[in-house]
């Protein structure tokens, strides 16, 4: 699986958009970008995934660059409940293992 | 989707003893996974548990220390054997299951918080 690089921490004001970057310069053609988050003392939760097109669901948007070497997770209107560690993971779809990196600790403040 | 429960939710154990953690899923799944999360750290995959075969362990984890059972498609156990304080962690199980739409995603249990004295 390709390695990912994320900033260790970020801050965001409540109600503003949170943009979490992820570098995955060694991603291969059959690898997808997945995002999970872990709220304190809970198991990780799936957010979104994509291959090369931008994706949006009820939780977030995923923007993948054209060369697929980086991506950005966007929480359009961050709330205090979005405070969590966000993990960007690259893996082959259908390949079940998830390999977690260090993630980004997002703090949403009033 | 899949709903996962784990027992116990937390425990405090003495060094040298063993603890068995249970993971129950509300639907049949082929593969179950066990992770460890040491204090302040990310998740580390311990092993993949397949029904009807031996678990597949990741580098650095061995069956003697972390024996796993997978008796059916909805249940698995992880035993932490001969515990030491370094085994103090949160242990999580997860499954790969069909989500809404046509893709699989990984669902996680709430975790078991283990403290070894």
């Amino acid at each position: 699986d390709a390695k990912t690089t994320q900033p260790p921490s970020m801050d965001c004001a409540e109600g503003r958009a949170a943009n979490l970057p992820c570098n995955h310069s060694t991603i291969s053609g059959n690898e997808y970008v997945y995002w999970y988050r872990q709220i304190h003392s809970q198991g990780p939760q799936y957010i979104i995934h994509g291959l090369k097109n931008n994706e949006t669901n009820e939780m977030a948007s995923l923007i993948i660059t054209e060369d697929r070497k980086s991506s950005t997770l966007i929480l359009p209107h961050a709330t205090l409940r979005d405070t969590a560690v966000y993990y960007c993971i690259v893996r082959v779809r259908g390949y079940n293992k998830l390999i977690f990196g260090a993630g980004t600790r997002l703090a949403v403040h009033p | 989707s899949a709903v996962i429960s784990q027992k116990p939710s937390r425990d405090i154990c003495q060094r040298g003893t063993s603890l068995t953690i249970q993971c129950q899923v509300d639907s049949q799944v082929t593969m179950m996974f066990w992770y460890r999360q040491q204090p302040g750290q990310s998740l580390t995959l311990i092993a993949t548990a397949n029904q009807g075969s031996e678990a597949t362990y990741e580098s650095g984890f061995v069956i003697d220390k972390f024996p796993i059972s997978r008796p059916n498609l909805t249940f698995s156990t992880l035993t932490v054997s001969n515990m030491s304080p370094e085994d103090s962690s949160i242990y999580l199980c997860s499954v790969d299951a069909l989500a809404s739409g046509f893709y699989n995603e990984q669902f996680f249990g709430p975790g078991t918080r283990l403290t070894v004295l």
Side-chain angles (χ1 to χ4, degrees):
Chain A
D1 291 337
K3 181 178 173 60
T4 63
T5 304
Q6 299 177 252
S9 64
M10 294 184 65
D11 286 323
C12 179
E14 190 177 20
R16 303 298 294 270
N19 298 288
L20 291 87
C22 179
N23 286 322
H24 31 78
S25 58
T26 60
I27 192 171
S28 60
N30 62 347
E31 288 183 312
Y32 285 68
V33 180
Y34 285 78
W35 283 83
Y36 283 75
R37 74 179 182 184
Q38 186 176 26
I39 296 171
H40 183 62
S41 298
Q42 298 181 22
Q45 174 193 24
Y46 166 86
I47 300 173
I48 199 168
H49 77 279
L51 181 63
K52 55 183 178 180
N53 297 321
N54 298 337
E55 302 287 344
T56 296
N57 63 20
E58 64 278 5
M59 289 183 67
S61 294
L62 174 61
I63 308 298
I64 303 175
T65 58
E66 191 169 342
D67 63 7
R68 302 208 324 122
K69 293 184 177 181
S70 65
S71 60
T72 301
L73 178 75
I74 301 172
L75 308 178
H77 305 287
T79 71
L80 298 179
R81 288 174 294 180
D82 292 322
T83 293
V85 178
Y86 288 77
Y87 297 100
C88 170
I89 300 169
V90 172
R91 73 164 181 173
V92 176
R93 187 173 179 179
Y95 182 67
N96 306 86
K97 290 197 297 186
L98 286 179
I99 305 300
F100 286 81
T104 295
R105 186 172 299 275
L106 175 68
V108 181
H109 53 83
Chain B
S1 64
V3 178
I4 302 171
S5 60
Q6 289 186 231
K7 290 181 181 179
S9 59
R10 59 177 62 227
D11 207 342
I12 300 173
C13 301
Q14 297 297 319
R15 70 171 66 210
T17 63
S18 297
L19 176 72
T20 295
I21 302 168
Q22 299 178 7
C23 178
Q24 180 76 52
V25 190
D26 69 342
S27 58
Q28 294 185 338
V29 293
T30 303
M31 302 176 82
M32 297 178 76
F33 305 89
W34 286 98
Y35 289 84
R36 179 176 74 181
Q37 187 169 29
Q38 294 176 300
Q41 303 296 313
S42 182
L43 286 80
T44 302
L45 181 63
I46 297 173
T48 303
N50 301 312
Q51 196 268 335
S53 65
E54 292 277 337
T56 303
Y57 289 83
E58 298 297 308
S59 175
F61 297 95
V62 295
I63 187 172
D64 290 346
K65 175 67 176 177
F66 297 101
I68 289 172
S69 78
R70 181 78 199 275
N72 57 53
L73 292 174
T74 64
F75 187 79
S76 177
T77 67
L78 169 76
T79 299
V80 186
S81 303
N82 188 25
M83 289 183 286
S84 67
E86 292 71 35
D87 293 319
S88 297
S89 296
I90 299 173
Y91 292 86
L92 300 106
C93 74
S94 72
V95 304
D96 210 72
L98 188 65
S100 58
F102 302 97
Y103 62 90
N104 276 30
E105 69 181 68
Q106 201 153 112
F107 297 87
F108 285 81
T112 295
R113 185 179 295 272
L114 170 63
T115 301
V116 184
L117 302 178

